[in-house]
Structure formats: C-alpha cells, structure tokens
Amino acid sequence: MITTPKMIPFHKWDEILNFNTAKEQIESLLHPVEVVESEKEIFLHHKPSSHYRMAYEDVLSNFVTMGEFTYELYLATPYFVEIYKTWKQKQDFQWQLLFLILIGYCLSTDFPYNHFSKELNESLPKEIIENHLCSIKIIQEETKMFLSKHLEKLKQLSHFEVQHLCQCLFAILGNREASYIFFISHFNGCSITCPHCSSFDNNFETHYCFDHYISDKKSIHKPPKEIQPAPSVIGQWDQKSYDNDYLWLSNLLYLLGNDKDAQKLSYYYGTFTCPHCGKTDIIIDLAKYTMIQNTELDLL
C-alpha cells in the first residue's frame, strides 16, 4: 500500500539545499485559481497573464532548463502530487494534463546521468528521498487512471502536443533516460556509439535521424544496413499494462493519432549492428550509453 508522502515545510528548504529555490512559485500553485481557457493550453503562444500560469511556467523553467537535475525536485514532488489531486477533485481536465506534463518533464532529468556533479551528489535526509519515491509511485497510479478515463479527450490534441505529452508520460511510467533522449533529440533520432569497441571515441559516434526513414511522401531514405527497426506491436496493448515500454508507448502514440512517431519508436527500440565489431544492441540502450559517456567526458 502506498503511503502519503510528507511535504517538507517551505521554510526548511533553504536550510536543506543551501541555494535559491522555486519554493515561492510552488507555494503559489498550491492555491488553485480559475484562469481563462487560453491560459490552459499546453503551449502558450503569448506571455501568460494570470499569476497562476506564470508560476507554472516559472516552476517548469526552474526544473528543466538545460536539462540539469536538481535535488530540489525531491522536495517538490510531494507538492506536485498534492496540487494534481486538487485539480482532479475539481475535475479540471486541462490542469490535470498540465501538471502531469510538468511532473513528467521534471522527472525526465532525474537519473544517474545528472548525478555526477559533486555539488549535487551530497546526501539528502532519508525521509526526503523516501517522500520523492513515494510521490512517484502515487503519480504513476494517478497517470494510469487519467489515461484510462480521458483517452478520448486526449485524441483531440495536435500531433506535436501528443508527442510532448507522451514523452512526459514516459518519464513517469517508463524509462527516464530514454525520455530525456526523446526530449533532447525532439523525438527525431539519436547518437550512437558502440560500447564493445576498444575505446570511446567521438569519431565512432554517429547520429541517426529517424525522421528521414518515415515520410508521407513517396521519396524516402532507406535506413542504413546496420539499423533494423523493431517489429510493429500496434494493436497488441490491453491499455492496462505498462510493463513493456515499447508496447504501451507505441500504442498510445498511435491511439492518439500520432502514428508517425509510433513508427519512429520502432527505430528507437530496433537494433544496431556495429559495422566495426559486428556486435548487436538495442538502439535506445546505445543512445543512453552514448549520452552518459559524453557527459562523463565533459566533466573531466
């Protein structure tokens, strides 16, 4: 049974973190207010006029700018869950959607790749880590319920909104490192380096753009011989199980009308056979390996 996470009082945040935080904006979001419908869009094409949407944008910017992980997220997640539940009680579909996007986007930065920094790798009190993990479990169940209840409404989203939403949901329900790769590549491909070759060398790093292999036009580039897409699994999802990342994400993209990105996913979860050593691996695993290796080199 999932327990209720404890929200660490805001006045203790500075004491724990010892740097400036987004606590004021998060505190503002704890008190939901009605805003005009145009302020509830996933992507605003204008500067927000309501203080509530401004606070939302500030929090989003604070946690995901440059994709840098911060332990402040561990203090914020219990509050995010509480805010989401408030909007759920109000039966506000759009704000529930926006907060799942915010949470997913934030969680996409929460993986070991971002923990190499000595400054950010200092230990946190056990209670805070437990609250964070508990919050994730709760929002995972809330996300599944949201999808089950609102799947038809979500079909009204645009192609790009569906892509962005699914990347965020993948950070909640799937693999966060893969989700981060989707974000930084704009869901168009990835860079690959073979981990089996003698040494990591940027000269052996190759970027593949999957968008070139999938097109509505007659003219289309064939994927190189070293890349083999995964077999389609469209139509095989029971809309309840989230154990197989490729299965549920492919089908969710397809059900929401974004079949092109569902096809791209078949390349992310396809295989790459190294032309140098002949070893074969799953492409998304190689992309995660490459991302981590590049980061370690940057930190040397």
Side-chain angles (χ1 to χ4, degrees), residues 91-148:
Q91 299 183 357
D92 192 308
F93 164 79
Q94 203 64 24
W95 273 119
Q96 289 179 71
L97 176 64
L98 284 168
F99 273 96
L100 287 181
I101 286 173
L102 182 147
I103 293 169
Y105 213 157
C106 292
L107 288 180
S108 71
T109 69
D110 180 29
F111 54 89
Y113 158 90
N114 282 322
H115 297 179
F116 295 127
S117 168
K118 184 177 180 180
E119 179 182 356
L120 295 178
N121 201 29
E122 295 175 356
S123 298
L124 284 177
K126 184 179 179 181
E127 178 188 33
I128 293 175
I129 297 173
E130 290 176 346
N131 284 333
H132 174 66
L133 296 176
C134 178
S135 299
I136 292 174
K137 289 181 180 179
I138 292 173
I139 208 63
Q140 285 174 337
E141 295 307 312
E142 292 289 350
T143 300
K144 293 173 186 177
M145 288 188 285
F146 178 84
L147 287 173
S148 177

Side-chain angles (χ1 to χ4, degrees), residues 42-56:
I42 293 178
F43 300 108
L44 293 184
H45 301 291
H46 56 84
K47 186 176 180 179
S49 57
S50 70
H51 290 298
Y52 197 81
R53 183 59 191 248
M54 286 182 189
Y56 175 91

Side-chain angles (χ1 to χ4, degrees), residues 28-36 40 50-53 87 90 92 95:
S28 297
L29 294 174
L30 275 173
H31 309 288
V33 294
E34 293 300 325
V35 300
V36 296
K40 297 182 183 181
S50 70
H51 290 298
Y52 197 81
R53 183 59 191 248
W87 285 116
K90 290 179 174 291
D92 192 308
W95 273 119

